[in-house]
Amino acid sequence: MSESRGTEAAEGSTRRLPVVEPGPEQPGPPAMEKHVPDVPESGAAHRFWSARRVPAGIVALLVLLLAGAFLYDVVAVRTGRDALGWRRDLARELAERPLDDTWVLVGAGVAAALGLWLLLLALTPGLRRVLPMRRTHPDVRAGLHRDAAATVLRDRAMEVAGVQSARVRMRRRKARVRALSHFRELDDVRADLDGVLDDAVRGLGLARPPAVSLRVARPGRKG
């Protein structure tokens, strides 16, 4: 009896478990194609326009004060009062003073300069310190401050062996880098800086990457 049970236990221990064979592959739902919007070229990223709040506020305030003064005087005359002295003097001066008078020419020049300044503010975008970045999405615009970009380039330049100090002046079209090297050959340092700065400029993601103007020199002697 015991031998038969042991034989059954041994047979049961070596029994092969059933394996579920995979059936025919079921067709799944069709994969949805992702729509990638067309990314505009780097030249399509335009500069940011300034709100011009301060010049607009000053002009609006001056126009309001001048119009209010004239309106008050006109209403006063309509109600039977005398016109203000400054308006009578202004009307007399405009009627009697010749056009080639010095003060007339000065006033006309100031008015023309003010008008040209306002036109320049209206036709230019402003915000020169914000550099437009490449647009990776048609509905998103991004900009990078010039000081932040200069800081990135300076930090990358300081990582080059042999660079003691670096100074970066960032403009819209050019980045001027001035580095001081206290050891290594200047040509080697300049070659390393060229590669590092080119990579750093590309990494900024600007729509119009600025050209890098690099100058490497030795630090001056103290005393």
Side-chain angles (χ1 to χ4, degrees):
M1 179 69 72
S2 60
E3 292 180 0
S4 62
R5 289 180 179 177
T7 305
E8 292 177 359
E11 292 177 355
S13 61
T14 59
R15 183 178 300 173
R16 185 178 179 183
L17 297 177
V19 179
V20 179
E21 297 292 339
E25 201 171 306
Q26 299 294 334
M32 298 182 63
E33 297 182 357
K34 295 182 179 180
H35 176 67
V36 180
D38 297 333
V39 180
E41 298 179 356
S42 59
H46 301 288
R47 290 173 54 189
F48 292 87
W49 282 78
S50 174
R52 312 287 192 186
R53 293 186 178 90
V54 175
I58 293 175
V59 173
L61 181 61
L62 292 178
V63 172
L64 178 63
L65 294 176
L66 187 62
F70 276 104
L71 180 62
Y72 174 81
D73 193 45
V74 170
V75 172
V77 172
R78 292 294 183 180
T79 56
R81 299 180 182 180
D82 294 335
L84 296 178
W86 65 268
R87 194 163 73 91
R88 292 197 302 267
D89 295 338
L90 179 61
R92 185 176 63 254
E93 290 291 337
L94 293 177
E96 298 176 356
R97 191 176 293 271
L99 295 179
D100 58 350
D101 185 76
T102 303
W103 288 107
V104 173
L105 297 178
V106 170
V110 171
L114 181 61
L116 290 177
W117 177 62
L118 293 177
L119 286 176
L120 182 65
L121 292 179
L123 298 177
T124 55
L127 293 180
R128 298 178 59 87
R129 303 189 69 84
V130 179
L131 303 175
M133 303 180 67
R134 287 194 301 268
R135 300 183 65 177
T136 58
H137 194 279
D139 297 331
V140 178
R141 295 188 64 195
L144 182 64
H145 201 277
R146 289 195 309 193
D147 293 342
T151 302
V152 172
L153 297 184
R154 185 195 62 192
D155 293 345
R156 292 295 303 275
M158 292 297 297
E159 297 175 359
V160 176
V163 176
Q164 180 181 11
S165 63
R167 184 178 59 184
V168 179
R169 296 184 61 184
M170 178 67 70
R171 295 291 183 263
R172 290 194 301 118
R173 300 295 177 88
K174 180 176 291 188
R176 299 181 179 274
V177 182
R178 301 295 179 262
L180 297 180
S181 175
H182 57 297
F183 71 93
R184 296 183 65 196
E185 294 293 333
L186 294 183
D187 294 337
D188 297 339
V189 176
R190 185 179 295 106
D192 292 346
L193 281 174
D194 283 334
V196 169
L197 292 176
D198 288 342
D199 293 340
V201 169
R202 287 194 298 267
L204 294 176
L206 299 177
R208 298 178 180 88
V212 178
S213 174
L214 176 61
R215 180 181 178 185
V216 182
R218 294 292 186 192
R221 296 181 178 180
K222 298 182 179 179

